[in-house]
Amino acid sequence: MQITNSFADNQSYRLGTTITEHLLLCQDQCPDASGQFTRLLSELIISAKLISREVNKAGLVDILGGTGDINVQGEKVQKLDDFANQAIIWRMERSGLLCAMSSEENADVIEVPDNMPKGGYVIAFDPLDGSSNVDANASIGTIFSIHRKLDKEGCGSMDNFLRYGYEQVAAGYFLYGSSTMLVYTAGKGVHGFTLDPSVGEFLLSHQNITMPERGKIYSINEGYTEYWDERTRAVVNYFKSSKNDRGKPYTARYIGAMVADFHRNLLYGGIYMYPADSQDPHKPNGKLRLLCEAAPLAFIAEQAGGAATDGTQRILDIKAKELHERVPLYIGCKADVEKAMEILQEK
Ligand code: AHM
Ligand code: MG
């Protein structure tokens, strides 16, 4: 079977190119591929299907609300956060493809137990991004970032995770929205798959996603204006007062679940911002985690023709110093991100 450009996205969907077929095709085109990456993604997809199933039952069964725990980030753990975290860890540690994991919900590196087979990859993930939206039935997601284990490091070594974003082998997210989607990149473009519940498969629905040079949406939580410095306010004012390429004002859109905000901006064109809250002692570098949120979405943005910066440098050029390091994030269409950076760096 061969996918050619003449397959329009709609046809691919109707004809049912599954994610597995797509991954096998990509594997065939890479002579050194061992099939491990394909299997790793397939395992992750099963975890996401289980999470999607639970998300879809929210409101009907006792899965809404908090567990009563506070996670390593000082945030309330939702029952669905906990389920998603367990679903990923359980499957991943049995896959034989990973040697360690790092979750937004766990303080330390999660090593694959001694009695389980180990593989050559490590994964960092946010099991349920935007989970404060769960009880309101708004879109949420799972974000993942995959690196090869470093040859010279043991499985539990933090150094396997404290890496540059540009070293990622693959990154992606599952979006649990009006439908469940997988969007991923392995460094050869960005592809989107929609879960067809009637066949239980993710089918290719968005082939080679690209962002426009300049967008029409800006996404930021403006309720924090008083925490921002002057330059950050100037960036937001720019998007509020400028006209986009169609001569119209930028539109404000903010769901409060980054996967959903990013996904909409990826498809429609726009910029998502979570700046440093310089006046807020709790969030001097903003809220978003470099390893499991900013870096994977930055990889996708760049592969789609967009960009991502912390205001001073490319997100993918930042080497993490801590597992749960936070970074300011400006991500989206290239011209918009460059404009934000230019304003942030003005004297
Ligand atoms: P989470 O991973 O704990 O859900 O936190 C990250 C989320 C992002 O999805 C979202 O954009 C942001 O937090 C919203 O934060 P705020 O409510 O401060 O605007
Ligand atoms: Mg998150």
Side-chain angles (χ1 to χ4, degrees):
M1 184 186 171
Q2 204 184 5
I3 300 173
T4 66
N5 287 339
S6 62
F7 269 61
D9 287 351
N10 275 343
Q11 281 172 312
S12 296
Y13 175 75
R14 277 205 307 277
L15 296 172
T17 301
T18 68
I19 176 72
T20 311
E21 287 168 331
H22 169 91
L23 289 170
L24 289 172
L25 269 169
C26 296
Q27 187 184 308
D28 284 352
Q29 285 161 10
C30 181
D32 298 333
S34 65
Q36 285 221 354
F37 172 70
T38 302
R39 283 175 47 219
L40 175 57
L41 220 53
S42 304
E43 286 293 330
L44 200 54
I45 285 165
I46 297 174
S47 310
K49 284 182 185 172
L50 294 169
I51 298 167
S52 178
R53 185 191 65 191
E54 292 305 300
V55 168
N56 287 335
K57 286 194 297 197
L60 295 172
V61 296
D62 182 27
I63 192 92
L64 292 179
T67 60
D69 295 328
I70 300 292
N71 72 7
V72 56
Q73 320 284 344
E75 295 156 355
K76 287 180 189 159
V77 177
Q78 303 291 319
K79 287 180 195 164
L80 267 171
D81 275 327
D82 202 36
F83 176 85
N85 201 32
Q86 296 307 325
I88 296 172
I89 294 172
W90 198 90
R91 285 210 77 89
M92 288 286 115
E93 67 186 7
R94 280 161 183 74
S95 69
L97 303 161
L98 287 176
C99 86
M101 295 168 259
S102 167
S103 165
E104 187 189 292
E105 298 295 327
N106 296 62
D108 302 315
V109 169
I110 308 160
E111 265 191 81
V112 171
D114 285 342
N115 58 344
M116 306 218 177
K118 305 201 176 33
Y121 291 100
V122 298
I123 185 170
F125 59 91
D126 177 354
L128 215 54
D129 179 63
S131 56
S132 60
N133 286 298
V134 162
D135 290 3
N137 213 350
S139 298
I140 46 182
T142 297
I143 311 174
F144 60 91
S145 160
I146 299 171
H147 280 266
R148 274 203 186 82
K149 172 190 169 295
L150 293 169
D151 285 343
K152 54 183 187 337
E153 297 296 334
C155 273
S157 165
M158 189 91 92
D159 287 349
N160 284 319
F161 294 92
L162 304 184
R163 313 270 286 274
Y164 291 102
Y166 65 70
E167 293 178 70
Q168 289 172 101
V169 173
Y173 56 82
F174 295 92
L175 173 64
Y176 313 107
S178 44
S179 57
T180 295
M181 276 198 76
L182 160 64
V183 173
Y184 94 101
T185 184
K188 289 190 175 138
V190 178
H191 309 290
F193 299 80
T194 302
L195 180 62
D196 184 334
S198 66
V199 291
E201 289 276 10
F202 280 94
L203 303 179
L204 182 62
S205 52
H206 299 66
Q207 201 166 1
N208 274 322
I209 301 172
T210 52
M211 299 188 89
E213 176 67 14
R214 200 165 165 224
K216 52 183 180 181
I217 297 167
Y218 74 97
S219 311
I220 188 165
N221 187 339
E222 285 193 69
Y224 299 143
T225 305
E226 67 175 278
Y227 293 145
W228 303 336
D229 63 20
E230 226 178 279
R231 292 285 107 228
T232 307
R233 286 183 204 173
V235 171
V236 179
N237 282 336
Y238 166 82
F239 289 110
K240 287 171 79 161
S241 57
S242 302
K243 299 271 191 283
N244 63 29
D245 284 347
R246 285 161 220 85
K248 296 199 171 140
Y250 280 76
T251 298
R253 291 280 183 274
Y254 191 74
I255 295 168
M258 183 172 55
V259 174
D261 279 310
F262 175 81
H263 183 71
R264 181 204 52 243
N265 293 356
L266 177 72
L267 297 185
Y268 297 170
I271 181 168
Y272 170 94
M273 301 174 270
Y274 207 114
D277 288 342
S278 52
Q279 307 302 315
D280 180 348
H282 303 295
K283 289 191 286 171
N285 287 322
K287 180 179 182 187
L288 301 172
R289 274 67 34 154
L290 173 61
L291 292 177
C292 65
E293 295 177 318
L297 295 191
F299 190 15
I300 294 172
E302 286 200 5
Q303 283 289 314
T309 175
D310 69 349
T312 58
Q313 59 180 328
R314 182 180 170 230
I315 292 288
L316 295 184
D317 283 341
I318 303 175
K319 186 171 188 217
K321 291 181 278 313
E322 297 170 23
L323 216 48
H324 295 285
E325 183 170 334
R326 295 176 194 249
V327 277
L329 180 64
Y330 299 81
I331 187 167
C333 291
K334 201 160 183 225
D336 294 326
V337 172
E338 281 171 356
K339 188 69 198 177
M341 195 144 99
E342 183 191 313
I343 297 171
L344 287 165
Q345 289 178 359
E346 273 167 16
K347 296 273 182 283

